[in-house]
Amino acid sequence: MAAGSDSTAKIRVQLDRIKGEIDPKIFGHFTEHAFGNIYGGIYDPGNPLSDETGLRKDVLALLKQVNVPLLRYPGGNFVSNYHWEDGIGPKENRRRMFEYAWLTEDSNQFGTADFIRECRAVGAEPYICVNMGSGTA
């Protein structure tokens, strides 16, 4: 700042001046395979709070209440080794995979098809990330 100038910052909010619309999808969320967010979180078969597909009804209700416009899957580091084909079809036929991001094994019991079911249940648009390193689009 130049000598003698006012050092007080001022912000002016002009509520009547609209510059444009913000796409609501910018406020989306992601579904991540870490820290119990999927297994024991959104997906918990056998839990009395889960529906017949294993999705937790209480978690779905909260996501619906938040009115999440878009859900991304898989979120975070998990996508670097995820193969979407492993998360479709009958659960008993889904391939177990070593998960390098979290150094654990993933059963693929919650997969691509289950994510779509989650999106439909909460009214969110699905955003599917693909593994372009060792996977296929």
Side-chain angles (χ1 to χ4, degrees), residues 11 33 37 46 49 60 72 79 83-85 103 129-131 135:
I11 297 174
H33 276 261
N37 293 328
L49 297 174
L60 293 174
R72 186 183 81 208
V79 73
H83 298 269
W84 68 269
E85 296 102 332
L103 302 177
C129 297
V130 292
N131 167 1

Side-chain angles (χ1 to χ4, degrees), residues 4 9 18 33 36 39 43 47 49 51 67 75 79 86 89 95 102 108 110 113 127 133:
I18 298 172
H33 276 261
Y39 301 113
Y43 182 76
N47 186 308
L49 297 174
D51 67 14
N67 196 25
V79 73
D86 294 340
R95 186 169 64 143
W102 305 113
N108 278 307
F110 182 92
Y127 183 112

Side-chain angles (χ1 to χ4, degrees), residues 113-124:
D114 308 285
F115 167 67
I116 297 298
R117 192 175 300 109
E118 174 191 4
C119 288
R120 288 180 178 157
V122 301

Side-chain angles (χ1 to χ4, degrees), residues 3-98:
S5 65
D6 186 1
S7 63
T8 305
K10 296 177 183 169
I11 297 174
R12 193 166 99 196
V13 178
Q14 297 174 305
L15 296 176
D16 59 336
R17 186 170 179 215
I18 298 172
K19 297 284 286 179
E21 289 187 27
I22 296 174
D23 189 328
K25 292 183 204 104
I26 197 169
F27 302 108
H29 301 268
F30 69 97
T31 301
E32 171 66 275
H33 276 261
F35 315 115
N37 293 328
I38 298 284
Y39 301 113
I42 185 72
Y43 182 76
D44 197 8
N47 186 308
L49 297 174
S50 297
D51 67 14
E52 64 282 350
T53 69
L55 293 176
R56 289 274 302 262
K57 294 182 275 188
D58 57 333
V59 177
L60 293 174
L62 290 170
L63 283 170
K64 227 174 177 176
Q65 183 180 342
V66 171
N67 196 25
V68 60
L70 176 132
L71 276 171
R72 186 183 81 208
Y73 179 79
N77 289 331
F78 188 82
V79 73
S80 63
N81 191 50
Y82 184 70
H83 298 269
W84 68 269
E85 296 102 332
D86 294 340
I88 59 174
K91 292 186 186 285
E92 62 274 9
N93 296 340
R94 294 185 186 178
R95 186 169 64 143
R96 299 181 74 81
M97 292 291 295
F98 183 73

